[in-house]
Amino acid sequence: MAFLYRQLKIITLLFSALVANVNASIIDLERSNQKVVQIAVKETPYSLSPYASRGLDAQYSHLFFDPLVRWGQGGELEYRLLAKLKTLKNNKIRFHLKKKIYFHSGNLLTSKDVIWSLNEARKNKCLQRKLQHIVNVKRINDYQFDVQTELTQTQLLDYLSHIFILDSAYYKKNKIDHHSAQTALLPPIKTLPLSGTGPYRVTSFYADVNLRVEANVSYWQNQPLFKSLNFVKIKSIDSRLYALLADDIDISEAISNKNINSVYLLDDKQIYQTTSLNALFLMINETKNDLFERRTARNAIHLAINQAGMLKHILNGTGTFSSKLNVVASDMYEPVYDATRAKYLLKKMNAPKRLSLLVMTDKNDHSQEVVLALKNMLDKVGVKLDVTEVDSIEQWNKVQFNYDLMLANWSSPLIATDNVYQDIFSNSLLSGYLELLFEQQKKPLTMAEKIVLFDQYQTSDRIVPLFSHNKIWATDKQFDLQSVFSVTATPYWHLLNLSH
């Protein structure tokens, strides 16, 4: 009897513990349902349309709309509104939509909405470049449509991951202008200004102040754990962190890498870094100065640059460098820094005592700190640097070849290799200089040939990728940001979870 009593007591204790755990989980779930997650951001949306001229940032687009496909955390393509596809003859791909998916308005998603959204996307210059190789889109029925394209399937899906599907009937009926902007002078939006298939709806939108959203109870997938999110604009990078430390907000976008060590010391806060395709490039312009037609002269400039020092002191270790830009998998290496040899080579070649540098200013790519570092490093090898800054692509394109050196940032949300290189070659601040170098081949070049040449330009120090940098988020430890970000560093906020 004593043995049986002990066994029953153990079973009772185990059952009590199980019930306590279940109750704790229920309480956590109830708290998450009730909590408004406060997220500090650099900018709130200019417009609530993904096809506005200034565009809707990806983190906001994914709140309200779904694409046909999107990139997951591990670099895999996730089918969203797309159920399946099949490759047909004559460069055609047949798309099959998932059924019984409804927009916020209650309208049913069909292939008409996809075709209408693609046509609207073509009116946006940036998206037009992504869709220019789609030859034709033809509706087959409510859930099937054919796409004729010059692209590979991977390239096509990569581009389509940036195209969000809108409720065509709703937008046409209400005559919604994609380019209309909300200003701080207007009252907050509280009525439905959009209709997508996404996990959240707009509760209120006050331009330059905040955007508040609540879960779409009719969402076609699982409901978000957190029912309400409030995106608060805090422009100052330091103020965002102070707001987090004061517990005024729960999650902060883009904090300074100079402050991460102070956050690491706190028991209730943590840092999360996202990596994406980006690089800060230094171009050595051989067309401006005959000296730089010599590889030794270009190498001397590279030897004078302490890349490891910039990674340590400017990025505080929150980035990487590589021997050449490899969009598939960056090759880590320790770049050579030899100021003594650089000074010797430049003196032996009777190099100019002054060189000019053109910089595209960008508050997010550390360009100001890099310029100061470059001036100091080149000064050590006997070269003074005269710096000119521009803040528009038009200015850059107009004057870029008038300078010995050019400094510009490049980043891409694309994943398919050919798409990424196409973006660099045709749609970046490097494009003009690269086109000039490609023309030296005096023949039409295939994409494969351009990629080989681009690698050679880096090896021969015509183009030097100085480093790539991570984006740094800070958060209260109760939140798990690991579950939120895609391989392209895009946050899917409906996946936000609690830490375990």
Side-chain angles (χ1 to χ4, degrees):
M1 289 293 294
F3 174 77
L4 180 60
Y5 174 77
R6 285 196 300 271
Q7 291 293 99
L8 288 171
K9 187 173 183 179
I10 290 172
I11 291 172
T12 302
L13 289 172
L14 288 173
F15 180 74
S16 298
L18 177 62
V19 170
N21 285 335
V22 170
N23 287 337
S25 298
I26 292 172
I27 291 171
D28 284 344
L29 181 60
E30 289 177 346
R31 285 175 179 172
S32 64
N33 286 341
Q34 296 170 4
K35 179 175 176 57
V36 179
V37 182
Q38 306 289 344
I39 304 172
V41 293
K42 295 182 297 182
E43 295 288 347
T44 50
Y46 164 83
S47 164
L48 291 176
S49 170
Y51 303 143
S53 55
R54 284 176 56 180
L56 184 63
D57 189 83
Q59 70 171 323
Y60 301 123
S61 294
H62 283 281
L63 290 172
F64 311 122
F65 310 98
D66 284 299
L68 295 171
V69 296
R70 75 181 184 192
W71 291 102
Q73 286 192 324
E76 74 285 357
L77 267 173
E78 299 175 352
Y79 282 15
R80 301 300 291 167
L81 303 180
L82 180 66
K84 63 179 181 179
L85 55 80
K86 181 179 180 181
T87 301
L88 308 177
K89 296 179 180 179
N90 303 320
N91 297 322
K92 286 184 181 179
I93 299 176
R94 178 155 296 174
F95 287 77
H96 299 253
L97 292 174
K98 291 176 180 174
K99 297 181 179 180
K100 296 183 180 179
I101 292 181
Y102 292 90
F103 290 102
H104 295 147
S105 66
N107 292 333
L108 185 67
L109 167 74
T110 70
S111 56
K112 286 183 180 179
D113 300 298
V114 177
I115 295 171
W116 183 84
S117 297
L118 285 170
N119 289 332
E120 292 298 299
R122 290 179 189 273
K123 298 174 184 177
N124 178 290
K125 288 184 179 179
C126 180
L127 295 174
Q128 189 179 58
R129 285 191 291 268
K130 292 179 171 66
L131 300 175
Q132 62 183 330
H133 297 292
I134 294 180
V135 178
N136 186 42
V137 182
K138 181 181 178 182
R139 178 182 178 275
I140 303 302
N141 56 42
D142 278 353
Y143 295 103
Q144 296 178 33
F145 60 95
D146 289 349
V147 174
Q148 187 172 4
T149 178
E150 301 168 358
L151 302 168
T152 65
Q153 181 174 301
T154 302
Q155 283 182 282
L156 174 64
L157 295 179
D158 188 23
Y159 284 136
L160 289 179
S161 69
H162 300 274
I163 307 301
F164 296 90
I165 309 306
L166 279 59
D167 181 351
S168 59
Y170 175 87
Y171 279 79
K172 286 188 286 188
K173 177 183 177 181
N174 292 282
K175 299 180 180 179
I176 294 176
D177 180 7
H178 297 303
H179 303 284
S180 62
Q182 179 79 356
T183 73
L185 300 177
L186 297 174
I189 290 176
K190 292 186 177 180
T191 56
L192 180 67
L194 52 80
S195 181
T197 58
Y200 286 96
R201 293 171 176 259
V202 175
T203 302
S204 65
F205 172 40
Y206 196 177
D208 283 334
V209 179
N210 78 299
L211 168 68
R212 183 161 176 165
V213 301
E214 289 188 352
N216 173 16
V217 295
S218 301
Y219 188 45
W220 57 277
Q221 272 207 323
N222 296 331
Q223 284 287 299
L225 178 63
F226 294 97
K227 301 302 182 185
S228 186
L229 311 176
N230 188 35
F231 297 88
V232 182
K233 180 177 178 178
I234 305 178
K235 202 165 184 65
S236 165
I237 192 169
D238 292 327
S239 296
R240 287 195 295 273
L241 179 61
Y242 297 152
L244 177 76
L245 299 182
D247 294 325
D248 292 330
I249 56 102
D250 301 303
I251 301 169
S252 176
E253 177 185 24
I255 71 161
S256 169
N257 56 54
K258 301 296 188 293
N259 295 322
I260 60 173
N261 290 331
S262 61
V263 177
Y264 281 136
L265 295 174
L266 301 174
D267 292 334
D268 61 338
K269 304 291 188 279
Q270 64 184 2
I271 293 294
Y272 185 79
Q273 297 185 45
T274 63
T275 59
S276 58
L277 283 176
N278 70 79
L280 187 64
F281 284 100
L282 180 70
M283 290 160 276
I284 302 177
N285 183 13
E286 63 184 70
T287 65
K288 165 69 166 56
N289 194 322
D290 293 343
L291 174 71
F292 292 135
E293 291 181 0
R294 299 169 61 180
R295 180 173 180 175
T296 304
R298 299 191 301 270
N299 182 245
I301 297 296
H302 195 175
L303 288 172
I305 300 173
N306 185 355
Q307 288 177 253
M310 288 193 290
L311 189 65
K312 179 179 179 180
H313 298 293
I314 295 178
L315 295 188
N316 202 21
T318 60
T320 59
F321 36 65
S322 61
S323 56
K324 61 180 181 178
L325 180 67
N326 184 325
V327 299
V328 180
S330 295
D331 300 323
M332 295 302 296
Y333 84 122
E334 188 72 19
V336 177
Y337 168 58
D338 192 337
T340 302
R341 179 161 178 78
K343 187 173 183 178
Y344 166 77
L345 290 172
L346 291 169
K347 185 176 181 179
K348 185 177 180 180
M349 290 181 288
N350 196 28
K353 300 297 182 183
R354 307 191 79 89
L355 292 175
S356 56
L357 171 68
L358 178 67
V359 181
M360 172 63 81
T361 57
D362 187 334
K363 294 178 181 178
N364 301 320
D365 69 1
H366 309 282
S367 60
Q368 297 297 320
E369 295 169 283
V370 171
V371 167
L372 181 59
L374 290 175
K375 290 179 73 172
N376 291 334
M377 288 184 286
L378 288 177
D379 188 55
K380 289 180 181 178
V381 299
V383 176
K384 299 291 183 183
L385 206 55
D386 298 322
V387 179
T388 300
E389 296 182 351
V390 296
D391 58 8
S392 73
I393 296 174
E394 291 75 16
Q395 287 177 293
W396 174 275
N397 291 336
K398 186 176 180 180
V399 302
Q400 61 179 309
F401 297 118
N402 298 334
Y403 294 84
D404 301 301
L405 308 171
M406 297 172 280
L407 184 70
N409 189 55
W410 166 83
S411 62
S412 177
L414 299 167
I415 294 296
T417 302
D418 281 356
N419 289 351
V420 173
Y421 278 116
Q422 181 65 33
D423 184 65
I424 298 174
F425 299 158
S426 303
N427 188 37
S428 73
L429 295 172
L430 286 73
S431 301
Y433 183 52
L434 284 169
E435 188 59 35
L436 201 65
L437 295 178
F438 291 151
E439 287 174 359
Q440 294 176 5
Q441 302 301 308
K442 297 181 179 179
K443 67 170 186 175
L445 298 171
T446 64
M447 177 60 71
E449 289 172 328
K450 287 183 177 181
I451 291 172
V452 170
L453 285 170
F454 182 63
D455 286 348
Q456 291 175 2
Y457 298 152
Q458 294 175 82
T459 303
S460 62
D461 293 324
R462 288 180 172 88
I463 298 175
V464 180
L466 297 178
F467 56 70
S468 63
H469 56 91
N470 300 340
K471 189 172 181 180
I472 308 166
W473 292 73
T475 177
D476 190 288
K477 275 191 176 177
Q478 66 175 302
F479 299 103
D480 176 23
L481 292 189
Q482 185 77 34
S483 61
V484 171
F485 290 92
S486 73
V487 69
T488 62
T490 301
Y492 302 146
W493 287 114
H494 65 287
L495 299 180
L496 182 63
N497 212 331
L498 289 168
S499 297
H500 299 293

